[in-house]
Amino acid sequence: MKKSGENTGKKRTALEIVGIIAIISSSVFLARDIYELISKYKKSRSDINEAARKQISSKKQRRAEMVKNTLEHNMNLFEERMLAHGAVMRDDFDVENREKFGMRSIYEYQDKFFRIGTLVFDEGEDPYIIVNAIDNERYARIGIMEEIEAYPYDMPEARIDEVVKEYLESEL
């Protein structure tokens, strides 16, 4: 048995050589065509992936804007409901920290003090509306609160009214 690569002594005819060249040439052209198809596919996939990323980013931006608007709307409702139930806004309390940290006003109702705020427990999660409260005017004047309750940012208006009533009527 002869080893691979040994001369078999057989001579190739011109027709066989042309056939071999044709096979090699067609393989080269086939390889080139395959390469072009793969390149087009990769570009197409890249375009699809980029479009998907843009769409996801756009959805995230719209959701973030919706959350922000709902949060602000519901925080305003909390404050409006407190005023409607007889609380008084105390703009003279905690002025420096409100301006420095962008905090909301403190409200007073029957010697109890309340402030509405926000809290995010984990990055990327929905925020919560928090109600801070204290019954000590001295601490309230400088913005220190001791009671904190958290509520979903998107709670229904009827629930907001219930929560405000509960807070205003509660013993701190």
Side-chain angles (χ1 to χ4, degrees):
M1 183 182 258
K2 291 189 177 188
K3 294 183 181 173
S4 176
E6 287 185 22
N7 188 357
T8 60
K10 186 176 177 187
K11 299 218 176 197
R12 304 248 180 230
T13 64
L15 187 57
E16 289 174 324
I17 292 172
V18 168
I20 292 170
I21 292 171
I23 290 171
I24 293 170
S25 295
S26 67
S27 295
V28 169
F29 289 123
L30 181 60
R32 188 193 68 210
D33 291 344
I34 291 172
Y35 175 78
E36 287 175 3
L37 284 173
I38 290 170
S39 295
K40 286 179 184 176
Y41 173 77
K42 284 182 178 178
K43 182 170 180 3
S44 174
R45 290 292 297 171
S46 175
D47 292 346
I48 290 169
N49 288 340
E50 182 61 28
R53 274 192 289 281
K54 285 181 181 176
Q55 186 177 16
I56 289 169
S57 175
S58 176
K59 283 182 181 179
K60 285 182 180 178
Q61 288 174 344
R62 284 194 308 271
R63 175 160 167 51
E65 189 65 28
M66 185 270 309
V67 167
K68 177 183 167 191
N69 290 340
T70 302
L71 177 66
E72 187 64 29
H73 172 77
N74 282 350
M75 288 174 63
N76 289 338
L77 278 177
F78 262 96
E79 292 175 338
E80 288 171 14
R81 296 298 197 276
M82 283 200 267
L83 291 170
H85 289 290
V88 177
M89 184 188 303
R90 297 299 303 261
D91 275 337
D92 57 325
F93 280 26
D94 195 30
V95 175
E96 184 179 325
N97 285 329
R98 273 199 346 252
E99 292 171 358
K100 186 175 182 180
F101 299 111
M103 300 173 89
R104 297 174 82 90
S105 294
I106 293 176
Y107 292 81
E108 180 180 5
Y109 182 80
Q110 296 180 354
D111 298 324
K112 295 179 276 189
F113 303 89
F114 306 92
R115 174 184 275 156
I116 304 302
T118 62
L119 181 65
V120 177
F121 289 106
D122 289 316
E123 183 83 24
E125 288 190 5
D126 287 340
Y128 288 85
I129 294 174
I130 57 170
V131 180
N132 299 296
I134 196 163
D135 60 359
N136 184 318
E137 182 176 345
R138 192 173 103 223
Y139 289 141
R141 284 187 172 281
I142 57 175
I144 296 175
M145 301 285 175
E146 60 184 2
E147 298 290 324
I148 299 175
E149 290 289 330
Y151 299 95
Y153 81 95
D154 58 351
M155 62 192 299
E157 288 185 28
R159 179 68 181 127
I160 291 172
D161 200 42
E162 290 171 12
V163 168
V164 168
K165 285 179 187 178
E166 290 170 12
Y167 252 92
L168 296 179
E169 295 169 4
S170 71
E171 293 292 325
L172 297 180

